[in-house]
Amino acid sequence: MQGEAAGGEPPRQPADGVLWRRSATIDTVPSETERFLDLAGYADGLLDPDERERVAAWLAQDAETAADVAAARALAAEAGRLPP
């Protein structure tokens, strides 16, 4: 799965455009897709408590991935899509 906005165009916000270009170059396999969906759900606060706890434990062991999730949350909050 590769990141695309409607019509295959990158999002108009500069920061989102950088992420879009990065995601468009990443080839994923099904297990990676599930991993990315877990991270996105965690970043957006959409996981149920058990899943959230599982992903939080994973992030506690993986500083690089935790930093990526924090950056995604910051971008989303800046865009007004998440509560502060």
Side-chain angles (χ1 to χ4, degrees), residues 45 56 59 69 77:
L59 294 176
V69 170

Side-chain angles (χ1 to χ4, degrees), residues 32-84:
E32 287 181 324
T33 300
E34 186 174 319
R35 177 178 171 260
F36 291 133
L37 290 173
D38 284 346
L39 292 174
Y42 182 88
D44 291 343
L46 299 175
L47 298 180
D48 64 43
D50 290 338
E51 290 295 307
R52 181 168 177 74
E53 185 176 315
R54 180 183 59 78
V55 174
W58 164 27
L59 294 176
Q61 301 298 316
D62 188 339
E64 185 176 351
T65 301
D68 287 345
V69 170
R73 287 186 61 87
L75 284 171
E78 183 178 310
R81 293 187 298 241
L82 289 178

Side-chain angles (χ1 to χ4, degrees), residues 1-2 26-37:
M1 180 185 336
Q2 294 184 349
I26 298 172
D27 290 325
T28 61
V29 295
S31 62
E32 287 181 324
T33 300
E34 186 174 319
R35 177 178 171 260
F36 291 133
L37 290 173

